[in-house]
Amino acid sequence: MTAPFRDLRYLRLPVPSLDAAAEYGSDVLGLKLEDRTDAALYFRSDARNHALCYVDGAGEPVASVAVTVATRPELDAAKERLETAGFAADWLDAESCAARQIKAGVTAAAPNGVMVDIVWRPMTSGWPFHGPRPTGIVGLQAVQMACTDIAANERFWTEGIGGTVSDWAGQAAFINIDGAHHRVALYPSARDGMLGISFGVETTDHVMRNWYFMQGRQLPVVHGPGRQPTSGAKFVSTRGVGDIVYTYATPMDAPEANGPRQFPDEALSHCAWGSPSTMPEFNGGADK
Amino acid sequence: MIELKDVVYCRLGTTDLAGAEWYAVNILGLEISGRRPGAVYFKSDDRQHTLCYFEGNPEDQTTAFEIGSADDLNRAGATLDSLGHAVHYGTREECELRHVAAFIAFKDPMGNQIEFVLRPDTSARAYHGTRDAGITGFSHVGLCSNDLERDEAFWTQVCNARVSDRIGDAPLMRLGTIHHSIALFPFHKPGIQHINHQVAGTDDIQRSFNFVREKQLTVTFGPGRHPTSSAEFLYFTGPEGMTFEYSSGVAEIHDEPLWRDRQFHFAPKGFCQWGAAPNIAAFKD
């Protein structure tokens, strides 16, 4: 089976202050500020013209994530698939497409309130990505969602969007949309909305150097250093602007060839090294 | 030239043998391979033992190295004697306590207690620790030195050690192909500065970091990665204040004539390329 999407494209995240977000994106995360408007900051992590867009929360209070299709007919098909599954989907207007740096797109609200954009012809930059510090970032790797109704969100991402589950850890579901182990991870939570974003880094060295960087800056380390037994990625996570988790992670293993595996509902299913987490979503036990 | 093959074992005195045994088994992850009155032997690989704790003065610490033949052992004794080291030839009883065929004991120029041993026992029983620490074997020791140039000269000119790299004036020296089997670090009195066991991989280093931290034992350095040997590491404190290290991925030097020793900073960046800073006296100015 070929994957339904080309990639995970971007996260648009509302923040209370664009100035604070500009500093955080560059100085802390090590992303490159590519474009800036009165209402948005466009940060690059790879060849995508932007992977993380901070928007002024006063004007756009809801977060969006995007997945990319290859052709215009696939946009129509995606809209139809969502509607058949019972989810309302709308075309993005010209202004929204311009703000998203895409040619055309469809958007639908996931049950956890996050808008999911299905986009065609998103902008690629002709210039190489070069961050302000040696983070080792190679690209946008995944986003994480907090879900009060995990079953509804899993149904949205599978039946509605067309992804497949790579693995479960308790009820947390890892969604494959482009052939990689997961680009979207759904976690049972006491709240709804965006939980986090992961940037891929080259090696374990980069994960560990970023961990010491976080400690040096007195940033809260909310999980890790650790290794996801599901995806195989080594990671370290902090929490920052927009009240989400920011993660650096090494490349993931391929999805299990024999189909999804069920990992127990416990902290070790989220970190095989036994690192503690201050986030309840990564400690398991939601079923109890 | 005294030809040493490898580091074999450490013998450590302790005032609390039961406590040291508990630590070696439950924290370090070694396996008890034998007992004698007042002594416990621990296994970490194919060798009969690589660590022995005995009832005694905690400053009574000895490191043993293997020598290839009885002739070599006798020549080593004569060489050391001619250099003015008091050489003790092991009695039959002392050899049995060490599971070796023969040995000589002396002090290096710093006063570190050293044994050169012949035919140390290997056992057919595989090492199997009760705790899954991932240990693949005892690998190297750091020895204390208050005159690093003098002691480097002893190990490289009287013996066959070669300097692989230096951190400040502290030499990391190889006996075989492993980047270092013996290292010297600045300290004002003789003794073993740290004892290293190799573990299989990154997962073992990181799992042990969380394990040791959860047990509220002191992690003194790491997790980190040495720019010298390229090994990932974790240092933590054991009985009587001894520093133990786990590491994984130590470089091997196979092209002996082409290797050039490198000079690194005696500062955190010379010890760790991830950004960890050591909290170990002999690793700090």
Side-chain angles (χ1 to χ4, degrees), chain A residues 203-213 224-227 234 268 271-276, chain B residues 202-204 206-211 213-214 221-225 232 272-277:
Chain A
T203 65
T204 306
D205 285 7
H206 293 109
V207 169
M208 297 305 291
R209 283 191 193 119
N210 281 310
W211 181 49
Y212 283 107
F213 173 85
R227 185 172 63 77
K234 294 162 191 157
L268 269 183
C271 175
W273 292 349
S275 69
Chain B
T202 303
D203 283 7
D204 299 303
Q206 299 283 355
R207 276 198 295 255
S208 282
F209 169 59
N210 286 303
F211 174 82
R213 200 164 53 163
E214 278 161 18
F221 190 20
R225 185 169 180 189
E232 295 176 23
C272 178
Q273 62 185 57
W274 286 349

Side-chain angles (χ1 to χ4, degrees), chain B residues 27-80:
Chain B
I27 303 298
L28 211 46
L30 303 181
E31 180 184 11
I32 294 172
S33 64
R35 294 176 188 276
R36 293 288 168 80
V40 185
Y41 297 77
F42 301 93
K43 194 173 166 65
S44 63
D45 49 36
D46 286 344
R47 291 173 280 200
Q48 194 279 336
H49 77 285
T50 54
L51 178 65
C52 175
Y53 272 112
F54 59 91
E55 284 174 355
N57 183 346
E59 294 193 359
D60 188 351
Q61 303 175 345
T62 301
T63 308
F65 297 87
E66 185 178 0
I67 218 161
S69 71
D71 282 352
D72 283 353
L73 188 66
N74 289 331
R75 272 197 296 273
T79 300
L80 292 166

Side-chain angles (χ1 to χ4, degrees), chain B residues 7-11 49-51 62-64 98 100 115 117 138:
Chain B
V7 61
V8 187
Y9 58 72
C10 295
R11 293 174 59 82
H49 77 285
T50 54
L51 178 65
T62 301
T63 308
R98 287 161 177 74
V100 299
E115 292 175 358
V117 308
F138 170 50

Side-chain angles (χ1 to χ4, degrees), chain B residues 56-113:
Chain B
N57 183 346
E59 294 193 359
D60 188 351
Q61 303 175 345
T62 301
T63 308
F65 297 87
E66 185 178 0
I67 218 161
S69 71
D71 282 352
D72 283 353
L73 188 66
N74 289 331
R75 272 197 296 273
T79 300
L80 292 166
D81 202 44
S82 71
L83 292 170
H85 298 268
V87 179
H88 168 75
Y89 289 77
T91 64
R92 174 160 296 279
E93 188 188 0
E94 287 169 334
C95 288
E96 282 172 4
L97 283 174
R98 287 161 177 74
H99 299 272
V100 299
F103 77 98
I104 58 175
F106 67 100
K107 289 182 179 178
D108 79 356
M110 174 62 194
N112 290 308
Q113 296 183 143

